[in-house]
Amino acid sequence: GTVQKVLGGITKSPRYETLKALEQALRPIEDDWYYYDWKRDASVRETLTYAGKKQGMYTVEDYYVLSENERMELIDGVIYDLGAPTDKHQIIRDEIFAGFRDYIRKKKGKCVTITSPIDVQLDCDNRTMVQPDVVIVCDRNKFQKGRIFGAPDLVVEVLSDSTRKKDIVIKGSKYCDAGVIEYWIVDPKKKRVQVYRFEEDYAPTIYTFADKVPVGIWNNECEVDFSEIYGIAI
């Protein structure tokens, strides 16, 4: 009955909790993503409404209003709830960041690495604002008005149950199209890292949490030791 009322437009402004429950019910997690075709549009666009506005119609201005009380992302006009990360998620994120930061300091490089929360206006439009877990940005002109304007050079997303499909399918496709050079998908549950180098090949290189993962944008000179990270995070 709730589904019929919401999708049929009888309930004009359903509660946010209702929308999230419907999203989980109608969008099952996909796990066969190892060689996903990033050029294929596999994102699912909701037809629900929130605060009187239809999903797909939200703007950056709406994002800033709604995100005052909740952690959210805006992708092609659709609002997604991020929720709070777990302790393991944060440890993994911070250790990856530390590896990048230490290399930049050692080389006295011009690149900057930042962890979430940081707003990234990925497409330089008013319909998308994402918050990757870790980014590397080598063009400092992309830092504008407290956010990153345009595609970072490297993006890392640490998967969680609530963001798994979005990070793998929807955001992966967006990063590819926006011009991100390298994309790491870190899966703590399966203890592996998928590394996409979009300028070279759309098939990923698969690493485990026993491996050292090289950073392609730095000619593989920097490596992140996931065996050490896993030892800290467990």
Side-chain angles (χ1 to χ4, degrees), residues 38 40 44 66 78-79 128 131 142 161 164 212 229:
W38 296 100
R40 177 169 59 87
V44 178
L66 295 172
V78 176
I79 290 289
T128 297
Q131 289 194 9
K142 291 185 177 181
D161 289 340
R164 187 179 189 88
K212 294 181 179 179
I229 293 176

Side-chain angles (χ1 to χ4, degrees), residues 32-211:
D32 297 332
W33 52 277
Y34 309 111
Y35 294 96
Y36 178 74
D37 182 0
W38 296 100
K39 289 299 184 181
R40 177 169 59 87
D41 185 6
S43 61
V44 178
R45 295 290 181 253
E46 294 92 335
T47 58
L48 308 179
T49 59
Y50 174 56
K53 207 165 191 178
K54 185 178 179 180
Q55 285 280 39
M57 301 300 292
Y58 290 100
T59 66
V60 169
E61 290 74 19
D62 298 319
Y63 164 82
Y64 279 124
V65 173
L66 295 172
S67 63
E68 287 183 357
N69 299 317
E70 301 284 346
R71 290 190 65 232
M72 296 182 173
E73 288 184 309
L74 173 69
I75 302 176
D76 292 332
V78 176
I79 290 289
Y80 295 89
D81 181 17
L82 288 180
T86 65
D87 54 351
K88 182 179 292 187
H89 182 284
Q90 289 179 287
I91 291 171
I92 293 172
R93 178 201 66 187
D94 291 347
E95 289 299 316
I96 294 171
F97 161 79
F100 294 161
R101 179 202 60 200
D102 292 347
Y103 178 81
I104 293 171
R105 287 179 176 175
K106 179 181 178 180
K107 294 293 185 177
K108 295 182 171 55
K110 65 176 183 178
C111 299
V112 177
T113 184
I114 302 176
T115 64
S116 179
I118 178 68
D119 287 333
V120 178
Q121 200 162 349
L122 191 64
D123 296 328
C124 303
D125 62 9
N126 72 336
R127 288 172 45 79
T128 297
M129 188 77 79
V130 295
Q131 289 194 9
D133 285 312
V134 188
V135 298
I136 296 174
V137 179
C138 295
D139 180 359
R140 298 201 177 195
N141 291 323
K142 291 185 177 181
F143 291 98
Q144 300 181 19
K145 298 180 180 179
R147 85 263 193 252
I148 298 169
F149 193 74
D153 295 85
L154 185 148
V155 172
V156 178
E157 295 285 7
V158 181
L159 299 183
S160 61
D161 289 340
S162 62
T163 65
R164 187 179 189 88
K165 181 176 180 179
K166 174 166 61 71
D167 289 344
I168 293 170
V169 179
I170 300 175
K171 292 177 75 174
S173 179
K174 291 294 292 183
Y175 291 146
C176 175
D177 292 340
V180 171
I181 299 172
E182 188 166 349
Y183 181 36
W184 293 17
I185 301 175
V186 181
D187 190 342
K189 180 179 291 186
K190 299 184 181 296
K191 300 180 181 63
R192 61 190 174 207
V193 184
Q194 306 285 112
V195 176
Y196 290 85
R197 297 181 180 179
F198 293 127
E199 293 184 342
E200 299 175 7
D201 193 349
Y202 292 116
T205 301
I206 304 173
Y207 299 91
T208 73
F209 274 23
D211 296 325

